[in-house]
Amino acid sequence: METTNLSKIRRESMLNTINEIKKNVSDEATLNNLSLIENELTKKKYGLIWEEHQERVDKELETQIPTFEDVTKKMIKKNDGKFNFLLEGDNLHSLYLLEKTHKEKIDVIYIDPPYNTGKKNEWKYNDSWVDENDEYKHSKWLSFMYRRLIIAKKLLSNDGVIFISIDEHEIAQLSLLCQDIFGENNFDYMIWQKTDPRVDRNTNAKIIRRFKNIHEGILVCYKNKNDKIFNKMMKLPEWKNKQTNPDNDPRGPWSSGIMSYEEGHKNEDKNSKNYYSIATPSGKVYTRHWFVTKEEFERLRKDNRISFPKNGDGVPRIKTFENEEKDYYMESILRGVGTSSTAKDELLEIFNDREIFDTPKPTKLIKELIRVASNKNSIILDYFAGSGTTAQAVYELNKEDNGTRKFILCTNNENNICESITYERIRKKVNDNLKYYKTAYVPKINTDEENLSKNLMVNIKNLIQLENGIEVDEQKVRIILTEDAIDKFSINEDELNVCDKIYISSDILLTSKQTKTFKDYNVEIYIIPEYYFDDEIREVA
């Protein structure tokens, strides 16, 4: 039975009234205002709605272009490999630039944003503390998160994933926001047991006689959920009952598990992506709501992970191999990956202070999230870096499996956190290369295209280093911006013998002789991408 949509009826009535008013109005300004009202009335009718707020960074970007400054005195060089990066400044500023250098290149993002609890001095919005008395605290927080998540989605690779730690204060709102940005089918929810009741004593439950709060949420958002397959975590004991291998599958003995419930099919949502028909080898058709989408089923069937009992006539089931069941895959409830208490113990060991943060995360938790979602050469981003736990997690995981993962961390320097906490933790606990950048600006108002281009080219070096994880030392790696400079370099044998690669301006045209020279000396040539600042330069053209 179709229900009566009262909101739709009222909305259509108001739109009709506006159309009647417009027939008798000739003033252009009034017509424009009426059109704005129409636009508001026809916006989406389901989802999270909040009052948008403009951030200081957005205002600054109207007259300035974001760039980075390389703080060379804080560079850490431990080996000849690629560099990790610590970006100091407003993370929205950093994300704008990362969109230029790392679009669709980040495999895993982990963030632990402000929980918006209303506590004094928890987080700032536009340089002002947001507390429980701020009537727009939820709207400000959602505006704050929305801008960053929109860019984060653009940074994720095709099978990339973002993990977001959050507690009860904003989990409902953030869940809706994430589903709005990433899609309802690209969303999952996990629980992290942050307290071990056997060790961490919570007397509040006894005093107020209600349940103990021993968990936090971790929201999981995928770029494309169907393309994401998580890795295993750790080994589990042998199966108690030995399984058989009736089809002689080369992967060994297996058991089978259900793909749908047997009851309740009449009441299932027939518009769901999980509602479809499957034909068995014998030709029998089963139509119902399955635990996997049709795309996932086809992938499993192609990989011979579907069994049809009763001689090919029964309801399809998923094959689980004995040798795989010994492995542990991530579940929706995360236990045994450290607690808030162990996280504070880590801070005590590094900084001799357990109370640097109210809600620190243990290295093991983040390490396991990265383990299951990354490959050995993935790039990991954390744009609420805090004490730098993600950096330590990446480093420790690389030590375990000989990986070459690299991290990019972003944080502001409120209360000197970036310099004295994040950077110091990396320096003490991460034995790897690091570059330290600070956010900066180049003015674009009243600047002609030639001067603007010249100013921005000075900052190209930092973006080249960031995108490629390298150090431009002007010996092994060089940047050359003019034809005069390339002419001199191409005939300097001493410099050619040392150089491995050069990045040249797209305006430079190499002669056939220069091309042959560079090939003979094994010097790789790269064109500096125009997308670094192409849009900004065109704005003043």
Side-chain angles (χ1 to χ4, degrees):
M1 173 181 169
E2 186 176 344
T3 60
T4 301
N5 189 331
L6 297 177
S7 295
K8 181 179 179 182
I9 292 172
R10 286 193 292 266
R11 185 166 60 248
E12 290 177 347
S13 175
M14 286 186 283
L15 288 170
N16 290 332
T17 300
I18 292 172
N19 282 328
E20 290 300 317
I21 294 173
K22 289 172 72 173
K23 292 178 182 178
N24 301 312
V25 175
S26 58
D27 179 64
E28 186 173 344
T30 303
L31 287 172
N32 287 336
N33 288 330
L34 289 171
S35 296
L36 289 174
I37 296 173
E38 286 180 314
N39 290 335
E40 290 297 317
L41 287 171
T42 54
K43 282 184 177 180
K44 69 174 184 176
K45 299 304 174 288
Y46 174 78
L48 192 63
I49 299 173
W50 72 94
E51 299 195 23
E52 295 184 43
H53 294 259
Q54 185 181 48
E55 289 190 51
R56 171 181 48 80
V57 175
D58 292 316
K59 194 69 178 176
E60 291 170 343
L61 290 174
E62 293 177 3
T63 58
Q64 302 178 88
I65 299 171
T67 61
F68 286 125
E69 293 179 357
D70 188 354
V71 184
T72 55
K73 67 179 181 180
K74 290 186 179 295
M75 183 179 73
I76 300 172
K77 189 166 185 180
K78 299 285 187 176
N79 52 61
D80 292 328
K82 289 191 173 183
F83 280 79
N84 304 286
F85 287 82
L86 174 57
L87 313 178
E88 176 197 316
D90 191 298
N91 57 12
L92 186 57
H93 182 141
S94 296
L95 287 169
Y96 280 136
L97 289 170
L98 285 170
E99 188 179 350
K100 298 175 182 294
T101 60
H102 285 79
K103 187 176 182 179
E104 299 182 345
K105 294 180 181 179
I106 304 293
D107 296 311
V108 181
I109 299 175
Y110 171 78
I111 58 172
D112 186 10
Y115 285 3
N116 201 22
T117 63
K119 292 181 180 178
K120 185 179 180 181
N121 298 345
E122 183 194 9
W123 75 287
K124 278 185 176 181
Y125 188 82
N126 286 352
D127 299 324
S128 298
W129 294 108
V130 178
D131 60 28
E132 60 184 359
N133 297 317
D134 191 325
E135 62 178 319
Y136 294 111
K137 73 172 187 176
H138 292 293
S139 290
K140 289 179 179 178
W141 191 86
L142 286 166
S143 293
F144 174 81
M145 293 297 296
Y146 175 80
R147 286 178 173 83
R148 288 153 180 80
L149 286 172
I150 284 290
I151 301 178
K153 181 182 179 182
K154 296 176 183 178
L155 298 180
L156 286 177
S157 60
N158 187 63
D159 64 346
V161 61
I162 177 170
F163 298 100
I164 310 174
S165 287
I166 197 68
D167 74 357
E168 67 276 9
H169 290 87
E170 293 286 1
I171 192 166
Q173 293 89 321
L174 184 59
S175 296
L176 285 172
L177 182 65
C178 287
Q179 291 177 65
D180 185 49
I181 294 172
F182 291 89
E184 292 182 22
N185 296 319
N186 285 322
F187 177 81
D188 276 325
Y189 171 62
M190 296 191 300
I191 291 173
W192 167 54
Q193 185 175 309
K194 67 178 181 180
T195 300
D196 185 345
R198 297 166 301 177
V199 178
D200 302 308
R201 301 302 177 188
N202 185 346
T203 58
N204 289 337
K206 296 179 182 179
I207 295 172
I208 63 176
R209 297 189 180 184
R210 288 199 292 271
F211 57 82
K212 296 180 181 180
N213 185 354
I214 65 170
H215 78 278
E216 285 184 11
I218 298 179
L219 305 188
V220 188
C221 304
Y222 308 84
K223 188 69 168 285
N224 297 289
K225 187 175 180 178
N226 287 339
D227 294 331
K228 188 62 186 177
I229 300 176
F230 282 140
N231 305 318
K232 60 188 177 183
M233 292 176 68
M234 61 191 78
K235 294 288 183 181
L236 287 180
E238 296 280 341
W239 277 7
K240 291 182 179 180
N241 301 314
K242 290 291 183 179
Q243 305 302 315
T244 60
N245 189 4
D247 61 349
N248 296 316
D249 194 301
R251 289 165 288 195
W254 52 271
S255 67
S256 65
I258 61 173
M259 282 180 55
S260 70
Y261 292 124
E262 296 180 1
E263 68 280 353
H265 298 307
K266 292 182 179 179
N267 298 322
E268 291 171 339
D269 179 8
K270 293 180 174 53
N271 295 317
S272 167
K273 288 183 64 175
N274 288 57
Y275 190 90
Y276 54 93
S277 300
I278 295 177
T280 70
S282 66
K284 187 170 183 177
V285 176
Y286 292 94
T287 303
R288 60 181 62 172
H289 189 279
W290 307 93
F291 295 161
V292 297
T293 65
K294 188 171 181 60
E295 292 80 6
E296 289 172 323
F297 171 78
E298 295 300 338
R299 176 175 59 79
L300 292 168
R301 191 173 196 171
K302 185 177 181 180
D303 195 30
N304 192 26
R305 290 179 179 268
I306 301 295
S307 70
F308 295 90
K310 300 180 182 180
N311 297 320
D313 199 39
V315 178
R317 296 169 66 88
I318 296 179
K319 294 165 64 174
T320 303
F321 294 92
E322 181 177 353
N323 68 324
E324 292 178 343
E325 190 63 15
K326 298 173 187 177
D327 300 324
Y328 176 54
Y329 288 81
M330 184 161 283
E331 298 175 341
S332 59
I333 299 179
L334 296 174
R335 303 183 183 91
V337 289
T339 65
S340 294
S341 182
T342 57
K344 289 190 175 186
D345 288 343
E346 291 176 354
L347 296 178
L348 179 66
E349 187 267 329
I350 300 171
F351 301 108
N352 197 32
D353 186 352
R354 296 182 86 250
E355 307 303 324
I356 295 175
F357 294 100
D358 291 334
T359 60
K361 302 300 180 291
T363 303
K364 189 174 182 181
L365 168 64
I366 301 177
K367 182 166 64 175
E368 293 307 319
L369 294 175
I370 296 171
R371 187 199 303 276
V372 301
S374 71
N375 56 57
K376 290 187 178 182
N377 61 352
S378 289
I379 301 174
I380 318 300
L381 171 65
D382 182 348
Y383 57 86
F384 288 97
S387 70
T389 312
T390 298
Q392 185 174 340
V394 170
Y395 174 67
E396 290 187 4
L397 183 56
N398 282 341
K399 284 202 303 181
E400 287 184 19
D401 64 7
N402 295 315
T404 57
R405 301 170 188 82
K406 293 298 173 185
F407 61 80
I408 300 173
L409 268 55
C410 313
T411 185
N412 60 40
N413 203 32
E414 187 74 38
N415 297 321
N416 209 35
I417 181 178
C418 189
E419 293 185 86
S420 62
I421 304 297
T422 320
Y423 176 75
E424 282 302 305
R425 182 172 191 164
I426 296 172
R427 188 180 65 81
K428 293 177 180 179
K429 305 299 289 188
V430 178
N431 189 30
D432 203 354
N433 298 335
L434 178 80
K435 277 194 165 291
Y436 189 115
Y437 281 180
K438 280 188 176 183
T439 55
Y441 285 107
V442 170
K444 64 180 179 182
I445 300 299
N446 298 323
T447 305
D448 61 65
E449 181 181 357
E450 182 178 354
N451 287 336
L452 176 61
S453 179
K454 184 177 180 180
N455 286 335
L456 292 176
M457 289 302 283
V458 175
N459 297 282
I460 289 295
K461 173 181 177 180
N462 297 328
L463 294 187
I464 290 174
Q465 292 182 146
L466 178 61
E467 180 171 7
N468 299 282
I470 61 174
E471 177 190 10
V472 178
D473 60 0
E474 299 301 343
Q475 296 180 7
K476 288 187 175 182
V477 182
R478 293 171 174 265
I479 295 177
I480 297 179
L481 303 178
T482 66
E483 291 190 350
D484 182 55
I486 201 76
D487 291 341
K488 292 178 181 178
F489 172 72
S490 65
I491 59 175
N492 190 320
E493 292 188 10
D494 291 337
E495 292 182 347
L496 288 167
N497 278 321
V498 173
C499 189
D500 293 328
K501 61 183 68 173
I502 57 174
Y503 291 83
I504 65 174
S505 168
S506 57
D507 294 331
I508 294 177
L509 298 176
L510 298 177
T511 65
S512 57
K513 182 178 180 180
Q514 288 172 336
T515 301
K516 183 177 184 307
T517 297
F518 296 144
K519 183 176 181 180
D520 291 341
Y521 280 90
N522 295 316
V523 177
E524 299 175 10
I525 308 297
Y526 296 90
I527 306 298
I528 296 172
E530 292 185 357
Y531 57 74
Y532 280 169
F533 293 112
D534 192 41
D535 291 340
E536 289 83 352
I537 292 174
R538 282 203 304 267
E539 284 183 14
V540 297

